[in-house]
Amino acid sequence: MESKLVIYNTMTRQKERFEPLHAPNVGMYVCGPTVYGDPHLGHARPAITFDLVFRYLTHLGYKVRYVRNITDVGHLEHDADEGEDKIAKKARLEQLEPMEIAQYYTNRYHDAMDRLGCLRPSIEPHATGHIIEQQQLVRQILDNGFAYESNGSVYFDIEAYNKKAASTGSQYRYGILSGRSLENVKDASRELDGVGEKHNQADFALWKKAQPEHIMRWPSPWSDGFPGWHCECTAMGRKYLGEQFDIHGGGMDLVFPHHECEIAQAVASMGHPAVKYWMHNNMITIGGQKMGKSLGNFITLEQFFTGQHQLLSKPYSPMTIRFFILSAHYRGTVDFSDEALQAAEKGLEKLMNGISDLSRVQVSAQCDAETERIVKSLRQRCYDAMNDDLATPQVISLLFEACTVVNKLTDHKATICGDCLKELSEVMHLFAEDILGLSVQHAEANAQREEAFGKVVDMVLDLRAKAKANKDWATSDQIRDALAAAGFEVKDTKDGATWRLNK
């Protein structure tokens, strides 16, 4: 099938037409969480971004195998192969088994992502379940001369890898994804405990010998130990998606060192890269600084949902969080603030009310010219935005334009025919719900609230209508003001009074 979708490839630093290796099949691997703490807003962004990719590719007719891993071993406290395993450290502090920690926080992650409307991936492999595949990867890299054993650990030999690339004219030197040179990497590497085992400070671990106190360990030809953090994605991506696949995704913070190391491992083990398109979402920031556990400035998703954090004035629904993230382009930064979330909440409410109000629109014999123009072009304009590197802010803007049309129709300031109303409804539901993943349960909740209060409010408005008929303006205004104070918006139209319960 011919695709009109264009996506930004981090590798080539430009937008490229999406042409899968084996259409209509698409393979997509996304780096999942290291499960040693509650998921936060920084976890939500890649999950929502690549859920959007998954949803849209599926909508376009592709058969997508979406693989997202769970890191439950090997991710040390520092990227330069130093410190404790993050999960093992948490287990030690809480006096639990590491797998208890991993299972508990995996469950918490799943629950939060479900609430955010993220579809489950096709396959969710765990690093601990693929030790053999990671050992096989290490053996291949050793056999090909791009790694060395040192004191029971195995390290990737970046200098040997780059010399081979230079001698063969290969573009796949270490640093191709991030734009770093080997000298840059050397300069950035700090003197660390255990660095003496390495030929070069920049070399990264493929297998680490476990110290006596290290809980998580497996036998190997080199030592009882555990795989390096970077190995799991290379090994599991290859296992479930083949030696070459279409998309590898993750947060921009993974470009270096994680994804840089993945590229080197793939080329060193197979002789060619594995990934055609590298996609990265940008960061969530607070006051311009990246949000993350390592910086201690994160807000967990549970805190957003309950409002229990000093930076939050109130709880925010999962759909508000999703709308907040999709309101920015996935490659742009999103700076958190309580005010920004309040704006997102109002924007979501506007969109959901627009969808809900479709049921109140009256069909006319024909459309007015402006309504017809907007409705008949809406679908294509939404597709054009999505096909331009998943421009969700533009899609949301177009859906707001559709909401304005709905408001005019319910206020009898425009007319629409049956075919155009059907088209408008289909497009709004398709892009808001199916593609952006914004649950119409929000709209349904509004409808339920309106139904619950409907009889009472209608009775009060009848009393107000009688007061107006008797020219008792004081009572009429008093009823209107009392309803407004209680959260009800009342509008007087030529067909009588209408009302809506505001959020």
Side-chain angles (χ1 to χ4, degrees), residues 421-490:
L421 179 58
K422 180 182 178 185
E423 172 68 3
L424 180 61
S425 179
E426 285 182 359
V427 173
M428 291 183 74
H429 278 90
L430 169 63
F431 283 91
E433 184 176 16
D434 297 346
I435 293 174
L436 297 185
L438 298 167
S439 173
V440 295
Q441 289 177 351
H442 222 76
E444 291 168 355
N446 285 346
Q448 289 170 357
R449 285 188 296 174
E450 289 184 3
E451 183 179 359
F453 290 111
K455 292 182 180 180
V456 175
V457 178
D458 287 343
M459 180 183 68
V460 173
L461 288 178
D462 283 341
L463 293 174
R464 179 170 177 262
K466 290 175 181 176
K468 288 178 69 176
N470 294 330
K471 301 188 186 303
D472 185 357
W473 310 120
T475 301
S476 171
D477 292 345
Q478 185 181 12
I479 293 173
R480 182 199 60 207
D481 294 343
L483 286 170
F488 294 92
E489 180 184 348
V490 176

Side-chain angles (χ1 to χ4, degrees), residues 320-329 334 344 347 392-394 396 400:
T320 297
I321 301 300
R322 187 178 182 101
F323 186 87
F324 171 65
I325 289 173
L326 292 174
S327 294
H329 191 273
V334 174
T392 54
Q394 282 79 5
I396 290 171
F400 281 165

Side-chain angles (χ1 to χ4, degrees), residues 19-93:
E19 296 176 341
L21 293 164
H22 307 290
N25 298 302
V26 171
M28 181 172 74
Y29 188 99
V30 176
C31 288
T34 301
V35 283
Y36 69 103
D38 272 339
H40 56 72
L41 198 60
H43 293 117
R45 193 167 196 196
I48 290 170
T49 296
F50 292 99
D51 179 65
L52 175 76
V53 177
F54 185 31
R55 285 171 178 271
Y56 192 55
L57 290 175
T58 301
H59 169 71
L60 292 179
Y62 293 109
K63 184 178 180 182
V64 186
R65 178 177 289 175
Y66 172 18
V67 181
R68 185 182 67 205
N69 68 297
I70 295 289
T71 297
D72 53 2
V73 69
H75 196 167
L76 304 185
E77 291 177 279
H78 308 292
D79 288 341
D81 308 321
E82 180 193 33
E84 282 189 84
D85 182 290
K86 293 183 177 183
I87 291 170
K89 179 180 179 180
K90 185 77 168 180
R92 176 175 59 79
L93 292 173

Side-chain angles (χ1 to χ4, degrees), residues 68-314:
R68 185 182 67 205
N69 68 297
I70 295 289
T71 297
D72 53 2
V73 69
H75 196 167
L76 304 185
E77 291 177 279
H78 308 292
D79 288 341
D81 308 321
E82 180 193 33
E84 282 189 84
D85 182 290
K86 293 183 177 183
I87 291 170
K89 179 180 179 180
K90 185 77 168 180
R92 176 175 59 79
L93 292 173
E94 298 195 10
Q95 298 184 321
L96 296 170
E97 283 290 328
M99 285 301 100
E100 283 184 275
I101 295 294
Q103 187 65 57
Y104 176 78
Y105 287 113
T106 297
N107 292 345
R108 300 276 288 178
Y109 176 80
H110 284 156
D111 179 62
M113 296 309 120
D114 288 346
R115 294 173 72 181
L116 289 170
C118 295
L119 303 174
R120 293 287 179 101
S122 315
I123 302 172
E124 193 175 56
H126 291 232
T128 53
H130 296 79
I131 299 298
I132 292 174
E133 288 84 355
Q134 292 174 82
Q135 290 181 353
Q136 289 171 337
L137 173 68
V138 176
R139 171 53 64 195
Q140 286 178 315
I141 296 172
L142 273 168
D143 290 347
N144 290 341
F146 298 112
Y148 55 89
E149 184 180 351
S150 179
N151 297 330
S153 294
V154 180
Y155 295 97
F156 191 95
D157 192 333
I158 293 177
E159 201 153 354
Y161 176 77
N162 276 5
K163 282 181 179 178
K164 180 70 172 180
S167 66
T168 61
S170 170
Q171 63 173 319
Y172 291 101
R173 58 174 178 78
Y174 188 80
I176 185 173
L177 186 68
S178 62
R180 303 186 186 206
S181 68
L182 182 55
E183 292 307 312
N184 293 149
V185 177
K186 285 180 180 178
D187 292 342
S189 300
R190 297 180 295 116
E191 290 289 345
L192 300 170
D193 292 337
V195 79
E197 294 182 348
K198 301 180 181 182
H199 294 173
N200 188 308
Q201 286 180 338
D203 293 344
F204 59 90
L206 299 173
W207 185 264
K208 287 283 286 181
K209 179 180 179 179
Q211 298 304 309
E213 68 275 9
H214 200 95
I215 307 171
M216 304 176 81
R217 60 174 68 215
W218 290 264
S220 80
W222 315 288
S223 65
D224 279 5
F226 53 93
W229 171 40
H230 311 301
C231 285
E232 62 180 285
C233 293
T234 303
M236 295 190 297
R238 182 167 67 180
K239 179 179 178 69
Y240 295 110
L241 297 174
E243 289 196 354
Q244 290 183 298
F245 55 91
D246 299 297
I247 296 172
H248 195 317
M252 198 170 285
D253 56 330
L254 297 178
V255 170
F256 187 87
H258 187 49
H259 289 164
E260 195 75 76
C261 294
E262 279 197 64
I263 293 169
Q265 289 171 161
V267 174
S269 62
M270 300 184 295
H272 60 80
V275 179
K276 186 173 182 181
Y277 304 98
W278 286 90
M279 294 183 70
H280 294 91
N281 63 273
N282 213 320
M283 300 294 99
I284 300 279
T285 58
I286 296 183
Q289 185 180 40
K290 173 198 165 188
M291 177 183 287
K293 286 196 182 80
S294 59
L295 298 172
N297 65 349
F298 64 94
I299 304 175
T300 69
L301 291 170
E302 186 64 26
Q303 287 172 324
F304 278 105
F305 301 157
T306 62
Q308 299 301 308
H309 192 278
Q310 66 267 24
L311 294 179
L312 301 173
S313 63
K314 57 185 289 189

